Amino acid sequence: MIDPQAVVHPSAKLGVHVEVGPFAVVEAEARLGSGVKVAAQAFVGAGVEIGDHSQIGVGAVLLSGTHLGPRCFVEAGAVLGASGFGFVFDQGEHVPIPQVSGVELGAGVRVGAGSCIDRGTLEPTRVGDGAEIGAQVQLAHNVVIGERSRIEHQSGLAGSSTVGSDCFMGLQKGMAGKASLGDRSRLDVRGGLLRKTPPDSDLWGFPARPRAEAMRAQAALSLLARSSDPQE
């Protein structure tokens, strides 16, 4: 059902049982698979592809170059396909590097409210099948997220960083540009990863390091603070 207050370009291709809510916009050559639901005030840009039975939340924005697999769920206010943050400093001026690629989400991906996934520079930013992206998460240009990995709320991954398959990243953590988290690894709450790590890592702290090592360092720091306290 297409709400009479929605705007759907005549060249857009809509599958069966598609729903487009009031004041939503679907631009030219967009492709919406069967059973897709686009909520009120959402925006689907030119040429965007949305797989079968996916749902686009209220006010979500899917810009040109964005491709969603089947059964994806993009929650309210999320933005997919905005320009990546790439600049060169030339003659005293920040000159933007063209970000000409897109965003690719696999099957069954969930993107939380208010999250932003930037389009890639030359290769797409990719999120693998079954991945879960929390609310207010920033995935910069050319980030790659492996299958079934989970990234909790208020996190930021810098450009070209990678997360392997079956990983878990706790609340408010970050990754530096080109950092890499190996398959089946864990980066705990407020961790900050600055380098490449092997599979099956269990990381904690900033800069993130193996949990046992980080705990020993924290204990030593606590003992040092006590030994220097004149009241002890």
Side-chain angles (χ1 to χ4, degrees):
M1 180 183 71
I2 309 302
D3 191 278
Q5 294 176 304
V7 178
V8 178
H9 194 277
S11 66
K13 305 294 192 298
L14 276 59
V16 297
H17 307 303
V18 168
E19 297 180 17
V20 182
F23 304 107
V25 175
V26 179
E27 290 203 323
E29 304 298 332
R31 292 179 175 269
L32 280 61
S34 299
V36 167
K37 296 180 180 180
V38 179
Q41 299 181 326
F43 178 86
V44 179
V48 167
E49 296 183 6
I50 303 176
D52 294 347
H53 305 293
S54 293
Q55 298 183 44
I56 311 303
V58 174
V61 175
L62 277 58
L63 297 171
S64 295
T66 299
H67 301 266
L68 275 61
R71 306 182 310 282
C72 289
F73 187 15
V74 179
E75 296 201 37
V79 178
L80 278 59
S83 180
F85 194 76
F87 297 87
V88 292
F89 195 66
D90 182 50
Q91 299 181 2
E93 182 179 359
H94 292 287
V95 179
I97 299 171
Q99 311 288 298
V100 298
S101 195
V103 171
E104 293 182 359
L105 270 58
V109 173
R110 190 180 194 96
V111 179
S115 290
C116 297
I117 304 178
D118 291 344
R119 67 177 181 262
T121 306
L122 298 175
E123 296 291 332
T125 302
R126 293 189 174 96
V127 181
D129 295 350
E132 299 273 351
I133 310 298
Q136 296 181 321
V137 171
Q138 168 69 45
L139 302 183
H141 59 277
N142 299 108
V143 163
V144 176
I145 308 296
E147 296 178 351
R148 300 173 301 279
S149 287
R150 183 155 58 106
I151 301 176
E152 291 201 342
H153 311 311
Q154 295 182 331
S155 300
L157 280 65
S160 299
S161 57
T162 61
V163 175
S165 299
D166 300 299
C167 292
F168 172 78
M169 300 179 67
L171 292 165
Q172 296 181 329
K173 68 271 147 210
M175 292 179 65
K178 300 184 179 180
S180 178
L181 186 65
D183 293 343
R184 302 175 302 280
S185 293
R186 179 184 181 95
L187 178 61
D188 221 328
V189 173
R190 293 189 175 179
L193 186 60
L194 307 180
R195 58 188 176 87
K196 294 183 178 181
T197 58
D200 302 298
S201 296
D202 185 8
L203 306 170
W204 187 87
F206 183 88
R209 47 187 154 175
R211 181 181 296 273
E213 176 187 334
M215 293 296 102
R216 289 195 300 269
Q218 193 69 20
L221 185 62
S222 178
L223 290 172
L224 178 64
R226 290 178 187 175
S227 66
S228 62
D229 190 339
Q231 296 181 356
E232 290 286 331

